[in-house]
Amino acid sequence: MADADGLPAQAHEKWFQQQVKQALDLADDPATEWLTQEQAQADWALQRAAIAAKPGLAMTESERLEHPGNSG
């Protein structure tokens, strides 16, 4: 059986376990820099504003209504 990317199930499981281990190793690393919720929200607000400033990339009001998680 293959997954959505066409990988055999065992290959996907191995890849997934590697991804989880990598994430946990990074989380456990004392050198990892963490952001506060406020910092993350401010960063995303800046990114949304930059996208909205580009012609043709801003969401229309109807698109925002279709995707309530998008506040920008």
Side-chain angles (χ1 to χ4, degrees), residues 7-31:
L7 292 174
Q10 288 178 327
H12 181 269
E13 182 65 21
K14 181 178 179 181
W15 169 84
F16 181 77
Q17 288 178 6
Q18 290 170 339
Q19 295 298 304
V20 170
K21 181 180 181 334
Q22 182 180 8
L24 291 173
D25 289 345
L26 183 62
D28 287 340
D29 185 347

Side-chain angles (χ1 to χ4, degrees), residues 48-60 63-64 72:
R48 284 191 304 274
I51 291 169
K54 294 181 179 180
L57 293 181
M59 285 183 126
T60 64
E63 288 171 327
R64 276 194 290 279

Side-chain angles (χ1 to χ4, degrees), residues 58-72:
M59 285 183 126
T60 64
E61 183 63 25
S62 62
E63 288 171 327
R64 276 194 290 279
L65 294 174
E66 290 173 18
H67 303 283
N70 297 321
S71 61

